[in-house]
Amino acid sequence: MTVRTKTPTLLANPPIPVQAKLAAAWTSFMFLYIYVDYFHLYKPGTLADIQAGVVFGFTISPALLTMFVASVGIPSLMVMLSMTLPARVNRTVNLVVAALYIPYSVINALGESWEWASYGLSIGIEVLLLAFVLRSAWTWPRTPAVSADPATTGLRR
C-alpha cells in the first residue's frame, strides 16, 4: 500500500511588467480622484454653490470645465499610455506627469477645511500612488546593450 502525502507549495509570484504596474497605479489614482470629487458633493452647501454657478470658489464657465476635463483626462490617458508607449518614452512621460501631479494634488487641498479629514487622507493616498509611479518608472529594468565587437556582429542580423 502506498501513502501519498501532499506537501504544501508556495504560491508562484511571477514578475509583473512595469507597464502593468504603472497602469494599475494610474487606475487606482483615477478611482480615488473621481470618488473624492464625487464625495465632495455630500459636503453641506456644495450643491447650493453649484446651483449658484460656483464650484470650489470659481465661477462655473466653459474654461473652468475644460480645465477640469484636462485635470482628469491626463491621468486617464496615463492608464492607456503606460501600457502602449515604448519603454524609453513611457518612463519619461510617467516621471514627468507623476512629478507634476504631486504638487497639483497637494494644491487641491488649499482652502479646504481640515475638519474634513477625508481630504488629507485622499491627498496622502494620491501622493503615495504617484510616488509609486515615480519609483516604478525610475527603477525601470534595463536590458544590457549588445556590444559592437566583431564576435557579436552576426547576432544583430
Side-chain angles (χ1 to χ4, degrees):
M1 181 187 300
T2 311
V3 177
R4 291 187 183 197
T5 60
K6 289 187 176 185
T7 57
T9 58
L10 297 175
L11 294 174
N13 198 13
I16 299 170
V18 177
Q19 295 94 325
K21 289 179 183 180
L22 292 169
W26 284 112
T27 302
S28 296
F29 178 86
M30 281 307 306
F31 274 113
L32 182 64
Y33 199 73
I34 291 167
Y35 273 103
V36 167
D37 283 349
Y38 175 75
F39 292 146
H40 179 75
L41 296 173
Y42 292 106
K43 187 176 174 187
T46 299
L47 293 178
D49 286 348
I50 292 171
Q51 288 174 334
V54 176
V55 65
F56 299 117
F58 298 100
T59 301
I60 297 172
S61 68
L64 181 68
L65 295 179
T66 302
M67 288 176 24
F68 287 170
V69 169
S71 76
V72 173
I74 292 169
S76 296
L77 283 173
M78 290 307 297
V79 176
M80 187 268 306
L81 293 175
S82 294
M83 291 298 290
T84 59
L85 288 175
R88 179 170 285 175
V89 176
N90 199 339
R91 178 179 186 262
T92 303
V93 170
N94 271 280
L95 288 171
V96 169
V97 174
L100 291 173
Y101 263 80
I102 288 175
Y104 182 77
S105 292
V106 173
I107 288 170
N108 276 331
L110 297 179
E112 287 298 334
S113 169
W114 285 101
E115 70 187 55
W116 297 87
S118 61
Y119 289 115
L121 180 60
S122 67
I123 289 166
I125 296 170
E126 284 178 13
V127 169
L128 285 173
L129 287 166
L130 293 168
F132 177 82
V133 168
L134 287 173
R135 183 181 170 276
S136 296
W138 186 260
T139 61
W140 197 301
R142 289 172 171 47
T143 305
V146 178
S147 70
D149 67 42
T152 61
T153 303
L155 296 175
R156 293 192 203 176
R157 291 185 187 153

